[in-house]
Amino acid sequence: MPGKRSLDVDDGPKPSAGAPSYITFTSVTQHDVWGPANTNTLRKNEPKHRISYFIYALQFNPDPPADLLGDFAYVIAVVTAEHCLFLRVSHNGDRFEQFENFSVPDQPVKDKKKKETEAKEDIYTLQWIKDPINRRDWTAVAFAGSTGIIRLVDLQLQPQRVAFLRGHATAVNELAYCKAQPAFLLSGSKDHTIRLWSIKYLTCLAVFGGAQGHRAEIISLDVDLFGAYIVSGSFDSTIKIWNLFQPEHVALLDKVRIHAITSDPKPVTVPSACFSVSDIHDGQIDCVRWAFGGDKNHYVISKASDKTVLIWMPTLPQHGVPGIGTEWQLCHKMKLQNNDYWFVKFAVWQNEGQHVLALGDDKGWIRLHDLQALATKQKAAQRSLKTKVNRTSSPSKAVIRAVSFSTDGRLLIGGSDDGICHIFRRSDSPTGKRSPAASQGGRAGRFETDDEDDLDDDFKEC
C-alpha cells in the first residue's frame, strides 16, 4: 500500500496581451482535518491503533454549482484514512468551512485462515465527476482505496446516495476522469489492470491489461484532454499509453452514450497498449500526467523513484496501424532532492499559455515550476513555498503528498502526512499583493515565498 516506503518542452501558445508575466503565491491559511477546529473531530473517535493521518489526494471542484458554494467561492474534496471531507473556501482562501464528511464503514473480509474480520478502508484517490444521471453539474465525487471498491457520492441528493463499482481484485491507486467523455470513469489498480466504467450503468466496460500489460501494480494514470488516450505508470518501471477507442469496443461505448444498454455487457479485454517504454526512468513510476503544447502534440510529464521529473513526447502509432510504439523524445529533465518517499503526486495548471507544475516534498515544501521558463533556461522558473503549522508557529516538516490548483489558478492547496491542508493564494491576482519583481518587469515564471531567504535549490536541472 502507499505509505512510508522510501524509495526542452514546447512552450505552447504565448500569453495574451496584458497577461501577467509572473506568478506568485503566498501562504494564506491551514485546515487541520483531524484537529479541534473540525466540528466532527475525527481523532476523538479514532481507535488508538490508527497512526495514519495521511492526505493522499485532494482536488478543487472544477465548476461547483451555486447550491454547493453557498457564499463561498471554491469547493474542495479531501481524502484521509477512511474519510472523504468536503470544504468550502472563500475567494481569497482565508476562510473555510467543512460542510460534509463521508466515512466508509469497516468492511467484512476474510483473513488467510478464512476467518471473518473487519478491514478499514484507506482512501488513496478521488475525482470530481458530473452527476451520474444528467451529467450537467459537477456535484459528485468518486473515491477508492485499499479495498478496491470505488464509491460514487452525489452531494446534491438528499439523503445522499452511494453507488459502488466493484471488479478490481485489490487496491485502487488512482482514478481518472475526462470532461470530454463524462459518461466514463477510469481506475488503475494494484491488480495490474486499468478498468473503464460506465458511471450511469455502474458497470465495467473494458479491462486494459494482460499478457502485454503492466507486470506490477499501477500507481498513476491520466486521460488526455480529448478522452482518446490513457497514460499509466507502474511499479514495473514502465509507462504505457492505451488507445481508449479501440475498434473492438467503440460500438459499446457509443451505446453507453446514447443510453442503449439493456443488460450488463461483458467487459472488453484490451491486452496490449499502443505505446510502451521501460527505459525512460530508472525507478518505479508514481505519477504521470498529460500536458499540451502550442503544436497540439501530446506531451507526458512523469515522476519516478529515481528522483526525476521528465517532460517528453511519445511517438504514437496512427489509428488502425498495428504494433506498439516505443519511440520518444526527451524535452526536459529535472532532478529532485528531498523526495525519498513514493506516492507523492504533482499537479499541473495550464491556461493562457502558462504551464505551472507544483510538487510537494519530504520536508514540508511545495516546489513550483514554470515549464515555459524552464524551456528557456530562466532561473526564476523554480521557486519554493514553505508550509507552516499555526498550532506550533513553526514550519511543517510533514511530507506533502498531494497538491491541487483551482481551475482559475488563483488558489493552490497541499495536503500533508500530518492531516493538514495548506492553502496558498496567487499574489498577482487582482486582490492579492503584487510582487516587487512584477513592478520591476519581472521575468516569466517568477515564483516567490513570503521570505526570499527561504528559497533553496532542491530542484536542479540535469
Side-chain angles (χ1 to χ4, degrees):
M1 61 168 280
K4 297 183 178 180
R5 278 184 274 178
S6 295
L7 304 172
D8 304 302
V9 66
D10 171 60
D11 58 3
K14 303 302 180 185
S16 57
S21 60
Y22 56 91
I23 304 172
T24 64
F25 282 86
T26 54
S27 178
V28 180
T29 188
Q30 304 89 35
H31 175 57
D32 185 352
V33 299
W34 293 89
N38 188 342
T39 55
N40 300 315
T41 304
L42 305 182
R43 280 198 178 106
K44 180 179 179 181
N45 300 318
E46 273 300 295
K48 292 182 179 180
H49 66 265
R50 165 66 69 187
I51 59 173
S52 170
Y53 304 123
F54 296 177
I55 295 177
Y56 285 120
L58 43 74
Q59 191 178 66
F60 280 91
N61 186 313
D63 187 15
D67 54 346
L68 284 189
L69 286 172
D71 62 346
F72 290 79
Y74 304 97
V75 175
I76 302 171
V78 183
V79 292
T80 176
E82 71 271 25
H83 305 281
C84 184
L85 312 172
F86 298 91
L87 308 175
R88 294 187 178 104
V89 182
S90 65
H91 184 64
N92 287 328
D94 54 358
R95 186 168 60 93
F96 57 82
E97 72 173 15
Q98 179 183 313
F99 67 97
E100 205 66 67
N101 172 18
F102 182 87
S103 297
V104 178
D106 293 353
Q107 302 298 306
V109 296
K110 291 185 178 181
D111 61 18
K112 293 181 179 180
K113 296 182 179 180
K114 296 186 178 180
K115 291 183 178 180
E116 287 284 340
T117 184
E118 298 290 322
K120 275 193 174 294
E121 174 80 275
D122 256 341
I123 305 173
Y124 301 150
T125 178
L126 71 88
Q127 275 289 328
W128 284 99
I129 60 176
K130 293 187 176 180
D131 71 276
I133 305 302
N134 299 315
R135 298 199 295 271
R136 293 175 182 172
D137 296 325
W138 295 85
T139 61
V141 168
F143 56 91
S146 57
T147 63
I149 300 172
I150 303 170
R151 291 172 171 82
L152 309 179
V153 178
D154 193 333
L155 297 178
Q156 279 193 327
L157 295 178
Q158 297 297 331
Q160 291 174 8
R161 304 277 175 81
V162 182
F164 302 91
L165 301 176
R166 291 182 171 92
H168 283 294
T170 184
V172 171
N173 289 321
E174 189 149 53
L175 299 172
Y177 181 77
C178 176
K179 63 181 180 181
Q181 304 289 346
F184 310 118
L185 180 71
L186 289 154
S187 58
S189 172
K190 189 176 180 179
D191 65 10
H192 309 179
T193 67
I194 298 168
R195 286 181 176 253
L196 173 68
W197 305 87
S198 164
I199 295 175
K200 179 178 177 61
Y201 295 102
L202 303 178
T203 187
C204 180
L205 303 175
V207 178
F208 298 82
Q212 294 181 300
H214 285 293
R215 309 308 289 265
E217 64 178 295
I218 297 170
I219 301 298
S220 183
L221 79 159
D222 192 25
V223 59
D224 76 347
L225 184 64
F226 311 104
Y229 291 101
I230 309 163
V231 60
S232 57
S234 168
F235 250 38
D236 61 9
S237 299
T238 66
I239 296 175
K240 295 182 183 291
I241 297 175
W242 311 79
N243 186 349
L244 189 55
F245 295 105
Q246 293 278 359
E248 304 97 296
H249 62 276
V250 165
L252 178 59
L253 300 183
D254 287 340
K255 286 183 179 180
V256 172
R257 290 192 193 90
I258 63 176
H259 313 303
I261 288 182
T262 57
S263 61
D264 285 347
K266 182 180 179 181
V268 175
T269 299
V270 183
S272 177
C274 66
F275 178 92
S276 181
V277 60
S278 60
D279 60 347
I280 191 165
H281 284 282
D282 293 328
Q284 297 94 344
I285 316 297
D286 68 345
C287 192
V288 289
R289 296 289 183 264
W290 287 109
F292 295 91
D295 54 7
K296 307 301 181 184
N297 281 326
H298 286 71
Y299 292 89
V300 176
I301 307 176
S302 57
K303 171 183 168 290
S305 60
D306 61 2
K307 301 184 182 181
T308 61
V309 171
L310 304 181
I311 305 171
W312 52 282
M313 184 172 63
T315 302
L316 299 176
Q318 295 181 353
H319 285 282
V321 177
I324 301 175
T326 59
E327 299 296 323
W328 56 278
Q329 179 182 351
L330 180 64
C331 303
H332 194 81
K333 181 177 182 179
M334 292 178 283
K335 183 68 176 176
L336 311 180
Q337 294 181 355
N338 294 335
N339 278 85
D340 294 325
Y341 285 70
W342 65 280
F343 213 85
V344 176
K345 307 293 181 75
F346 58 78
V348 180
W349 180 73
Q350 305 177 69
N351 189 42
E352 296 181 351
Q354 295 175 330
H355 298 67
V356 183
L357 182 148
L359 173 64
D361 73 3
D362 302 355
K363 306 298 183 182
W365 291 79
I366 298 176
R367 314 297 182 180
L368 295 170
H369 302 270
D370 186 323
L371 302 184
Q372 289 177 271
L374 284 173
T376 56
K377 308 298 183 184
Q378 295 186 32
K379 198 65 177 178
Q382 304 173 1
R383 284 296 182 265
S384 308
L385 302 175
K386 178 183 288 185
T387 59
K388 299 179 180 179
V389 183
N390 283 338
R391 63 174 180 265
T392 61
S393 300
S394 64
S396 172
K397 294 183 179 180
V399 180
I400 306 291
R401 292 187 183 273
V403 289
S404 178
F405 289 98
S406 60
T407 304
D408 58 8
R410 181 182 177 83
L411 296 185
L412 169 67
I413 186 170
S416 54
D417 279 3
D418 54 4
I420 296 179
C421 297
H422 306 269
I423 301 176
F424 297 84
R425 182 177 65 239
R426 180 168 168 170
S427 302
D428 56 292
S429 54
T431 59
K433 66 179 183 181
R434 291 178 60 87
S435 72
S439 61
Q440 299 170 10
R443 297 178 291 175
R446 177 66 173 168
F447 292 98
E448 291 185 349
T449 63
D450 291 332
D451 184 355
E452 281 293 316
D453 294 334
D454 288 337
L455 299 181
D456 59 15
D457 295 322
D458 277 354
F459 279 86
K460 299 180 179 179
E461 291 187 16
C462 294

